[in-house]
Amino acid sequence: MADIEQQYQIKYSEKWGSYLQQEASRLEKYVTVETGLSGKLVTFDQYGLLDFHEKTDRMQTTVLQDAPTTRRVMHPHIFTRAIGFDEFDAKKLANIDVPVSKTIEGLRAAAGRTMDQVMLNNFLGTCFKGEFGTDSVDFSESQLIESDYTESGTPQAGNLTVGKLRKALTMLQKAEAWNEERRAYGDELVLACTAAQINSLLQEPEVSSFDYNTARALVEGKVDTFLGFRIIRTEQLPLVDGTRTCLAWVKSKALFGIWDDFRVKISVRDDLDETLQIRAKFACGATRLQEEAFVKILCEE
């Protein structure tokens, strides 16, 4: 006679869980967003700097010069993803539903992460300018803070420090990319870094001390500001041989464009035996508008 243990049943879950993931774009609020774009590329024309020449002679000849203008170009990146469920999947899943809503949630989360990656790739990489958008613009080496930067003493490779943040702020201010008056017009100073950099900052006396009111949210583990930077945590920043590339920028000069916002279409595919298709798509691009408004900060993890 069989032991009753052989009749024990398996109880299966009746709802779907989700993997740990970044569920939305973290950078979109901290860049300038252009929507409703169209065309194989979009141009953004900017007016350059003017200066004066001193007049040294009476009734001297007037010298006309062209206006200093420049054009930055943004190209679209198109993304799609389709998930299918067979017509008999619902029957075979028995007491658990076909995960349609979970699929849509997952696609939306993936779109947010992908948009962040498009921004980071273009802000850190090659941009384009010129009449036809074919002239490449590499990230300026003058806008780089090395991993071994220290305010005093012997240079030594390390993670993010208050000294590196002060250096980045000084660079942006010297280039007139940032001043506090810009906040009144909705502009913002942004720093993208990972959890490792936030942890490094928390070990700095200037950050961990409660004498610094602006650091209290960081001490509590929240994203906040320090030295005027809005600190945004993202784990998508490039890591090469233990060196993380973090990025500081001025919001008005970081451009994110949307050709086609995230959309989902659910349809029945008669050509695939009535398979249920869930297809999502979007198209976006990004570019630096001005090199002096961005600073790379290298950090050893």
Side-chain angles (χ1 to χ4, degrees):
M1 193 167 185
D3 191 288
I4 193 171
E5 290 184 1
Q6 298 181 22
Q7 312 306 317
Y8 286 176
Q9 303 296 306
I10 298 175
K11 173 64 175 176
Y12 293 99
S13 62
E14 297 183 4
K15 62 181 181 179
W16 296 93
S18 298
Y19 267 41
L20 297 174
Q21 60 185 303
Q22 177 185 323
E23 297 178 351
S25 170
R26 291 179 180 164
L27 304 182
E28 189 174 359
K29 294 180 181 179
Y30 306 103
V31 298
T32 299
V33 180
E34 294 281 347
T35 61
L37 302 182
S38 61
K40 66 178 183 180
L41 56 82
V42 176
T43 64
F44 298 91
D45 296 320
Q46 300 179 89
Y47 200 93
L49 296 177
L50 293 174
D51 57 11
F52 278 88
H53 298 288
E54 183 180 0
K55 180 177 179 178
T56 57
D57 295 317
R58 295 182 66 247
M59 293 181 288
Q60 65 187 35
T61 303
T62 299
V63 178
L64 283 177
Q65 295 177 312
D66 287 326
T69 61
T70 184
R71 170 174 288 175
R72 195 56 65 102
V73 173
M74 184 190 299
H75 297 86
H77 302 267
I78 302 171
F79 299 93
T80 65
R81 184 66 189 268
I83 304 296
F85 294 103
D86 186 80
E87 59 181 333
F88 286 102
D89 282 348
K91 292 293 185 180
K92 294 179 180 179
L93 284 169
N95 63 341
I96 188 170
D97 294 333
V98 174
V100 174
S101 62
K102 280 293 182 184
T103 298
I104 296 173
E105 289 176 13
L107 289 169
R108 187 178 300 277
R113 294 193 301 272
T114 304
M115 289 178 183
D116 281 0
Q117 195 62 67
V118 168
M119 285 183 252
L120 291 174
N121 288 345
N122 285 275
F123 295 161
L124 289 167
T126 300
C127 293
F128 295 90
K129 65 177 183 178
E131 182 179 0
F132 303 105
T134 56
D135 300 333
S136 62
V137 184
D138 294 328
F139 200 100
S140 175
E141 290 297 320
S142 64
Q143 297 299 111
L144 173 67
I145 298 175
E146 296 287 356
S147 62
D148 62 353
Y149 172 80
T150 55
E151 292 181 297
S152 61
T154 304
Q156 183 176 358
N159 211 325
L160 186 60
T161 63
V162 173
K164 289 181 179 179
L165 284 183
R166 274 195 286 257
K167 175 66 173 177
L169 178 60
T170 300
M171 291 168 66
L172 294 170
Q173 289 175 329
K174 280 187 174 181
E176 294 294 349
W178 178 253
N179 58 64
E180 286 299 322
E181 288 78 10
R182 300 183 72 94
R183 291 193 190 277
Y185 301 98
D187 214 350
E188 197 162 7
L189 202 56
V190 185
L191 171 72
C193 62
T194 73
Q197 282 73 61
I198 293 177
N199 181 61
S200 177
L201 280 179
L202 287 171
Q203 299 176 52
E204 295 268 301
E206 292 179 62
V207 177
S208 60
S209 172
F210 279 94
D211 293 333
Y212 293 80
N213 293 328
T214 57
R216 291 186 179 180
L218 266 179
V219 174
E220 295 170 2
K222 300 176 182 177
V223 174
D224 199 358
T225 61
F226 189 71
L227 287 179
F229 288 95
R230 172 73 67 174
I231 298 176
I232 308 301
R233 184 183 66 80
T234 172
E235 303 303 320
Q236 298 194 68
L237 290 161
L239 177 67
V240 179
D241 296 330
T243 300
R244 182 79 68 177
T245 301
C246 300
L247 185 66
W249 69 81
V250 177
K251 178 180 178 179
S252 61
K253 299 301 181 182
L255 197 59
F256 177 61
I258 298 176
W259 272 253
D260 198 358
D261 209 348
F262 174 80
R263 291 189 292 173
V264 175
K265 180 181 179 181
I266 301 176
S267 58
V268 175
R269 294 284 303 275
D270 290 332
D271 60 323
L272 297 175
D273 287 340
E274 297 186 3
T275 291
L276 181 68
Q277 175 181 285
I278 304 172
R279 185 173 185 269
K281 62 180 180 179
F282 65 96
C284 62
T287 186
R288 301 184 301 273
L289 283 181
Q290 194 170 342
E291 302 308 297
E292 294 81 3
F294 292 80
V295 177
K296 281 184 183 179
I297 306 175
L298 301 185
C299 301
E300 292 295 314
E301 292 190 1

